[in-house]
Amino acid sequence: MTKITLSRRAFLAATTTSTLFGSAWAQSVNPARVVPRKISPNEKLNVAGIGVGGKGTQDIMSYKKENIVALCDVDTGRAEEAFHFLPDAKRYQDYRKMFDEMGKDIDMVTIATPDHTHAPAAYLAMKLGKHVYVEKPLTHTVAEARLLAQTAREMGVATQMGNQGHSGDGVRELAEMIWSGAIGAVHEVHVWTDRPGSRWPQGGPKTPPAGEPEPETMNWDLWVGAAPMRPYNQLYAPFKWRGWWDFGCGGLGDMACHIMDPAFFALKLGEAKTFSVEPINQEEANDQTYPLNAVIKYHFPARADMSPVDIYWYENGRKPTRPEGIPEGQVLGDDKNGSLFVGESGWITAGEYGGKARLLPDERMAEYTPPAPTLERVSGANHYRSFLNACKGGSPAASNFDYAGPFTEMVLFGNIALRTNRRVEYDVETMTIPNDTDAGKFLTKEYRKGWELPV
């Protein structure tokens, strides 16, 4: 049985012998020196972006009314749009250098880098007393998710994961429907996505592809970060990294943090002490890339006031069998992405981001009177504003790391079942896999020298 521990002593031993991180990394291990600056609601935050191309552009531009002081991206070509719209912000390729030079002038950072680099950037930022917004999935490994949640509490910083649907009304409406007994006790949930589809390759090469010339605008060493070094290839960057074990979290990491959120929230899965995951079907799996497509099953025992439940995940266009009693013309979820809750007395379906919750068949929804709201709504259903308010002393953001950390652990544990191609059991409290000692190594990973984390 393998147990992952968060050892500061081990981390200090590793980082004090390395000069790769500079003074910002050395300071990060002394939380007494980096208390977050208190900011009133009327003040403007000093904001920095780490990974400001692609989705990162939208994230950083969501805070354009604050003071955007720094932009960092290992690929300056991908960052051109952000550079254009925010010309006064100082530009960097290495966020460690950014923190070295501007750490005292930064209150909050957005992080929208590839999955494998989320945790090192977020951990350093929090250790320096910065509030952090991190795109989904929160981390690359289960152990990193636990680390970031613990670090956020220790440092007293505001946090948010970028699963924007969790700030919407739909997730709360669905929970209120279930909690009011609209379909009785839920015993199955089916969750599906069209990813990866044609978006990025999976089930691909069993060996790394040959090296190609690196883009002139990219620092490949920084892009690889904590992962094992390998030559650049366009099959990894700038976009297709998600299907590779070393860099991404596959279809689960891309979409489960959206589509599985209603199940995690409404069925109180975060209160489970144990759960298991088993692969039902996967095609073209290998030790380089995620499988071409897969079906897996989570099993959760009774927890809180909830009955045992099985959660099925389908990807690459696979879907559950349509239940008898739901006519063919009635759409489940958002068709390509969605979820179906199977209760003792009916069905509820929801869309890609947890919205559009409705009873099935449609005739039943037409006659249904929703219960009175009992859950507080996020003002304007605005995920970015929810985080901004938290940074300025308001209530914790909707998907802060106390919520997003355990949720990410659950999602990414599914990838361990895919990696091992066998059933694995998770002891949440001890963060161990009691039934499979060898599988425990996949709770964490090895870090390239100079990028180590205390997991």
Side-chain angles (χ1 to χ4, degrees):
M1 184 165 65
T2 302
K3 181 175 180 179
I4 304 299
T5 58
L6 309 182
S7 168
R8 180 173 296 169
R9 180 179 300 172
F11 182 52
L12 288 174
T15 56
T16 53
T17 60
S18 173
T19 60
L20 296 181
F21 278 92
S23 61
W25 192 256
Q27 292 171 5
S28 74
V29 297
N30 186 355
R33 299 169 61 183
V34 285
V35 176
R37 181 172 77 91
K38 290 187 177 181
I39 306 162
S40 75
N42 295 323
E43 284 186 87
K44 289 188 175 183
L45 287 169
N46 292 331
V47 181
I50 300 174
V52 294
K55 178 62 175 174
T57 306
Q58 178 186 352
D59 289 347
I60 194 67
M61 292 300 293
S62 296
Y63 300 105
K64 63 183 178 181
K65 292 184 179 179
E66 305 300 306
N67 294 324
I68 311 297
V69 297
L71 301 173
C72 180
D73 201 296
V74 301
D75 188 341
T76 57
R78 291 271 289 173
E80 281 185 354
E81 183 178 358
F83 290 167
H84 172 76
F85 285 111
L86 301 166
D88 295 331
K90 193 166 182 181
R91 303 173 186 181
Y92 294 90
Q93 281 190 296
D94 189 336
Y95 62 79
R96 300 166 301 180
K97 182 178 179 182
M98 179 184 76
F99 283 129
D100 268 342
E101 295 184 357
M102 298 187 64
K104 294 180 180 179
D105 301 318
I106 296 171
D107 298 313
M108 181 266 276
V109 298
T110 63
I111 299 171
T113 57
D115 299 348
H116 72 294
T117 51
H118 285 185
Y123 180 77
L124 174 56
M126 289 191 291
K127 281 296 189 179
L128 292 172
K130 314 306 174 190
H131 308 297
V132 293
Y133 181 103
V134 183
E135 268 304 329
K136 55 78 195 167
L138 181 61
T139 59
H140 193 216
T141 72
V142 169
E144 289 176 342
R146 182 73 58 94
L147 172 67
L148 293 197
Q150 291 185 354
T151 304
R153 289 192 293 270
E154 291 170 3
M155 299 306 299
V157 293
T159 57
Q160 180 88 301
M161 180 173 76
N163 57 332
Q164 293 79 7
H166 191 69
S167 290
D169 293 347
V171 172
R172 290 156 184 77
E173 291 168 354
L174 186 148
E176 289 164 350
M177 291 171 73
I178 288 176
W179 298 346
S180 66
I183 60 171
V186 176
H187 55 83
E188 280 186 9
V189 182
H190 300 267
V191 186
W192 63 93
T193 183
D194 62 341
R195 312 295 169 86
S198 61
R199 295 171 184 261
W200 67 83
Q202 290 186 191
K206 294 181 173 59
T207 58
E212 297 177 345
E214 299 170 14
E216 293 182 1
T217 59
M218 177 186 288
N219 184 316
W220 178 241
D221 182 73
L222 292 177
W223 191 97
V224 173
M229 177 53 71
R230 62 176 74 188
Y232 170 81
N233 189 286
Q234 61 183 332
L235 287 175
Y236 309 134
F239 179 73
K240 296 179 180 180
W241 46 267
R242 199 181 298 276
W244 300 85
W245 289 109
D246 282 347
F247 304 132
C249 295
L252 270 166
D254 184 40
M255 293 304 293
C257 292
H258 293 308
I259 318 171
M260 208 177 281
D261 185 36
F264 185 81
F265 183 69
L267 301 182
K268 304 178 183 179
L269 301 182
E271 298 190 34
K273 304 297 183 184
T274 63
F275 63 87
S276 65
V277 188
E278 62 181 293
I280 303 301
N281 187 295
Q282 59 175 316
E283 294 181 11
E284 299 186 31
N286 62 68
D287 62 3
Q288 287 292 318
T289 74
Y290 289 82
L292 180 64
N293 55 48
V295 178
I296 61 175
K297 181 180 82 170
Y298 292 78
H299 174 73
F300 288 84
R303 68 250 157 250
D305 56 345
M306 294 286 161
S307 301
V309 64
D310 291 330
I311 314 286
Y312 291 85
W313 169 261
Y314 310 78
E315 59 189 31
N316 206 21
R318 291 188 174 188
K319 294 180 182 179
T321 301
R322 178 180 290 268
E324 292 184 15
I326 301 178
E328 286 292 335
Q330 297 186 9
V331 177
L332 305 182
D334 283 335
D335 191 23
K336 293 183 178 179
N337 297 278
S339 58
L340 177 69
F341 291 72
V342 181
E344 292 178 335
S345 58
W347 307 277
I348 294 176
T349 190
E352 180 173 327
Y353 293 97
K356 306 176 186 176
R358 66 188 194 279
L359 292 169
L360 291 172
D362 293 344
E363 294 76 16
R364 186 174 177 191
M365 187 65 192
E367 301 170 351
Y368 178 67
T369 300
T374 57
L375 292 168
E376 183 179 357
R377 269 43 174 180
V378 174
S379 177
N382 190 312
H383 203 60
Y384 296 105
R385 177 63 59 178
S386 172
F387 175 57
L388 184 62
N389 290 341
C391 293
K392 296 185 177 183
S395 301
S399 193
N400 68 82
F401 291 179
D402 278 338
Y403 178 84
F407 181 27
T408 302
E409 286 191 35
M410 173 213 148
V411 168
L412 297 187
F413 195 74
N415 278 336
I416 297 179
L418 291 178
R419 192 74 182 263
T420 60
N421 198 28
R422 53 186 182 262
R423 180 179 177 276
V424 284
E425 300 172 0
Y426 190 40
D427 185 309
V428 177
E429 183 177 359
T430 62
M431 200 162 55
T432 59
I433 303 178
N435 74 315
D436 195 325
T437 301
D438 187 58
K441 65 187 177 185
F442 295 119
L443 291 163
T444 186
K445 63 183 181 183
E446 297 209 7
Y447 294 83
R448 194 157 60 106
K449 185 176 180 181
W451 297 90
E452 298 92 342
L453 286 176
V455 290

